[in-house]
Amino acid sequence: MLDCNTPEDEVIEKDLNLLIIQYAMSEEFIGHYFSYKELIANSEKLNGDLWTYTKNAHILQCFILWCNVFGSDSENNQTHWKHLIVNHSYGGFKARLLKEINMTDEEWHSNWKNIKEFRDSYAAHRDKEFNKVVPYLDNAYKAFLIYDEWIQYEAFKGTGVISLLKNLEEVAEEKKQKIKKDLNALLHK
């Protein structure tokens, strides 16, 4: 960590500590996301309650982890990306996100709202009247990758901080292959 000789150093250290937590959540989301996708892809071979519970647990955990980083930005959610104080020039992360997923702010807000509402009303709590479909998480997954790219190459620009974190896209590919290999080994015993 930094020596924290200046107020700027303290801000950067606080951001780095938050980033470490967010990165761990990102990796965990990716593991659950690809576990779910692989289980769904093999659902014809995976019958029974165990596999239903396993698939559900993975997808529900995805919603919870995603909302930890991208959901509510209130003071109660201390791991939200907006709590980073680093470089927000050129519109910061959100501008990059909208550009790379090719969405308007309104479209993103609708996507964000659907995911957050599902997390709030079903994954984390069970509202009796909640009956909406499970939102797709493809853009949620992309948001983590775009956030990682922003962190790696833009967020700390000019601070002297160099990211030593592994690129999340590489982590995702490794996890995806490992999960596929593990499931194939289980299915072919």
Side-chain angles (χ1 to χ4, degrees), residues 27-59:
E27 278 194 337
E28 194 173 343
F29 171 91
I30 287 168
H32 286 290
Y33 178 73
F34 283 114
S35 293
Y36 174 77
K37 287 180 83 71
E38 194 61 34
L39 289 167
I40 290 295
N42 287 282
S43 54
E44 290 177 7
K45 302 171 196 163
L46 302 170
N47 297 318
D49 287 348
L50 171 66
W51 298 112
T52 299
Y53 296 140
T54 303
K55 287 183 281 193
N56 289 348
H58 283 299
I59 195 71

Side-chain angles (χ1 to χ4, degrees), residues 1-2 4 6-22 75 78-86 147 156 161:
M1 287 296 151
L2 299 172
C4 292
T6 68
E8 292 84 17
D9 290 343
E10 290 177 18
V11 167
I12 291 171
E13 182 165 17
K14 185 178 176 185
D15 277 357
L16 290 173
N17 288 333
L18 175 55
L19 179 60
I20 290 166
I21 294 166
Q22 290 172 335
E75 287 184 32
Q78 296 176 4
T79 58
H80 192 274
W81 72 268
K82 288 183 182 175
H83 291 296
L84 282 179
I85 302 167
V86 296
Y147 185 64
F156 291 97
V161 172

Side-chain angles (χ1 to χ4, degrees), residues 59 63 111 114-116 118 130 132-138:
I59 195 71
F63 284 97
N111 185 65
N114 288 338
I115 292 172
K116 187 176 174 314
F118 186 83
F130 187 80
K132 295 185 179 179
V133 298
V134 179
Y136 288 104
L137 289 176
D138 296 341

Side-chain angles (χ1 to χ4, degrees), residues 63-79:
F63 284 97
I64 291 167
L65 289 163
W66 190 85
C67 284
N68 284 335
V69 178
F70 300 106
S72 175
D73 61 357
S74 71
E75 287 184 32
N76 291 338
N77 184 5
Q78 296 176 4
T79 58

Side-chain angles (χ1 to χ4, degrees), residues 112-124:
W112 171 87
K113 185 180 174 192
N114 288 338
I115 292 172
K116 187 176 174 314
E117 186 176 17
F118 186 83
R119 179 261 177 216
D120 292 349
S121 299
Y122 190 81

